[in-house]
Amino acid sequence: MQKILVPTDFSKEAENALKTTAIIAKKFDAEIYLLHMLDLPLNLIDPVQGNSQNVPEALYFMKLAHMHFSKIKESDYLKDLSVTEAVQFNHAFKGITEFAKNNNCDLIIMGSHGSSGFQEMFAGSNTEKVVRQSEIPVLVIKEEAKDFKIEKFILATDTEIDNKKTLLKAIEFSKLFEAELHLLFVNTPNNFTTTKQAYADLEEFLQEMNLNSIKKHIYNDISVEKGILNFSEKIKADLIGISTHGRKGLAHFFNGSISEDLVNHARRPVITFKI
């Protein structure tokens, strides 16, 4: 892990994400990219499309962002770390994913304050779009952590073949942190499978992968989201992992907004991997 992107709106939640990033960056001697998106109306930033007299107002917001960056970079927790700041004019979700791609970032770390979604620049549909559309893993942090240790890492799966790609990414991530990986299948009333069949599906899913060290679990609950949250509480997991599949969602139970709901409702950190 060499480059970590931290989008920020200078909120407390974004600072929590940055503090976690600092811990990870020190562990892997990684570079940190701090990105602030100015999602402004076109007439404020483009004198061709709008009124050129508004350009100074856009420049004011950019200067203000760099002032915030200057204060942040003086923080003790960033001491001796390589931190690059960037301010860009773009839609938040689009700018974040494009910046990550253009700078070959390995991980995006974002802050969230819970069930009401991401604050300011991460509000509403931006949350869904960043989590779903990012080609690289997105780690969502809820609370400030003095240390970021991952001992138990849950990866929820529906055993579909496409999820094998996600599993390989999760294995790589767990090895980086020397974490114990738990593969979880949630059984629900709407998609009921016997325990015997569920374990058989998991074994088939892992076939030819020689992954004997992975712990396999079947958990029954009223919904997939509830099952993941309740199981993570039961084993005191340090991190929850889940797959995303762009706009189409995942076949079977990862359809719709399961990943987004987890990002909003889980108190534990959540990492998403795109198939």
Side-chain angles (χ1 to χ4, degrees):
M1 189 176 300
Q2 298 179 328
K3 297 180 180 180
I4 305 173
L5 173 60
V6 185
T8 181
D9 57 1
F10 307 115
S11 64
K12 178 63 177 177
E13 291 73 30
E15 184 181 18
N16 291 341
L18 183 56
K19 288 180 177 179
T20 297
T21 304
I23 296 171
I24 297 174
K26 289 176 182 177
K27 178 179 178 66
F28 298 104
D29 193 25
E31 298 179 60
I32 298 175
Y33 286 82
L34 269 175
L35 175 65
H36 181 67
M37 300 305 305
L38 288 172
D39 192 353
L40 300 177
L42 184 62
N43 66 337
L44 286 184
I45 61 178
D46 190 342
V48 175
Q49 298 292 332
N51 189 339
S52 60
Q53 68 181 9
N54 289 327
V55 174
E57 186 172 351
L59 294 177
Y60 165 77
F61 286 115
M62 177 175 282
K63 183 177 179 180
L64 187 63
H66 283 296
M67 289 176 61
H68 283 301
F69 279 138
S70 296
K71 293 180 180 179
I72 291 173
K73 291 168 73 172
E74 293 175 357
S75 303
D76 290 340
Y77 60 85
L78 293 176
K79 186 178 180 181
D80 299 325
L81 289 173
S82 174
V83 181
T84 300
E85 65 184 76
V87 180
Q88 294 189 353
F89 296 98
N90 206 333
H91 296 298
F93 78 91
K94 184 178 181 181
I96 292 169
T97 54
E98 286 185 356
F99 187 94
K101 181 179 180 180
N102 293 338
N103 289 276
N104 298 315
C105 294
D106 303 296
L107 178 67
I108 298 174
I109 301 183
M110 302 170 72
S112 170
H113 58 19
S115 60
S116 58
F118 285 57
Q119 197 171 37
E120 295 183 19
M121 66 180 275
F122 302 141
S125 62
N126 285 327
T127 305
E128 175 182 341
K129 291 175 182 177
V130 172
V131 168
R132 284 195 178 190
Q133 296 186 12
S134 174
E135 297 292 337
I136 65 173
V138 180
L139 174 61
V140 181
I141 301 297
K142 293 297 182 62
E143 300 172 352
E144 180 181 350
K146 294 182 178 179
D147 197 0
F148 187 72
K149 292 182 178 179
I150 305 175
E151 295 181 353
K152 295 181 180 179
F153 174 22
I154 294 174
L155 178 68
T157 184
D158 59 1
T159 70
E160 293 292 327
I161 191 169
D162 284 350
N163 274 301
K164 287 192 176 184
K165 300 175 184 177
T166 301
L167 176 59
L168 293 175
K169 294 177 183 178
I171 290 171
E172 181 180 353
F173 193 85
S174 65
K175 287 180 177 178
L176 284 174
F177 289 88
E178 300 178 343
E180 186 178 76
L181 185 58
H182 296 255
L183 193 62
L184 173 66
F185 179 89
V186 178
N187 206 12
T188 65
N190 290 336
N191 290 288
F192 179 76
T193 302
T194 65
T195 299
K196 181 179 179 180
Q197 183 60 51
Y199 274 114
D201 290 342
L202 283 176
E203 291 295 341
E204 183 178 356
F205 178 67
L206 296 172
Q207 191 175 10
E208 300 178 357
M209 297 185 73
N210 194 24
L211 300 173
N212 297 326
S213 62
I214 295 180
K215 298 182 181 298
K216 300 177 286 292
H217 305 273
I218 309 298
Y219 193 83
N220 300 322
D221 216 317
I222 60 174
S223 70
V224 174
E225 180 192 353
K226 289 285 188 182
I228 295 171
L229 294 175
N230 289 333
F231 181 77
S232 65
E233 176 64 27
K234 177 182 177 181
I235 72 166
K236 304 300 179 186
D238 302 294
L239 179 66
I240 299 171
I242 190 168
S243 304
T244 61
H245 203 327
R247 294 180 180 178
K248 296 180 180 179
L250 286 173
H252 192 35
F253 62 70
F254 286 147
N255 198 355
S257 60
I258 295 297
S259 56
E260 291 79 20
D261 288 343
L262 277 175
V263 164
N264 281 330
H265 300 153
R267 297 313 310 168
R268 290 171 167 78
V270 175
I271 187 167
T272 62
F273 302 95
K274 185 175 179 182
I275 293 176

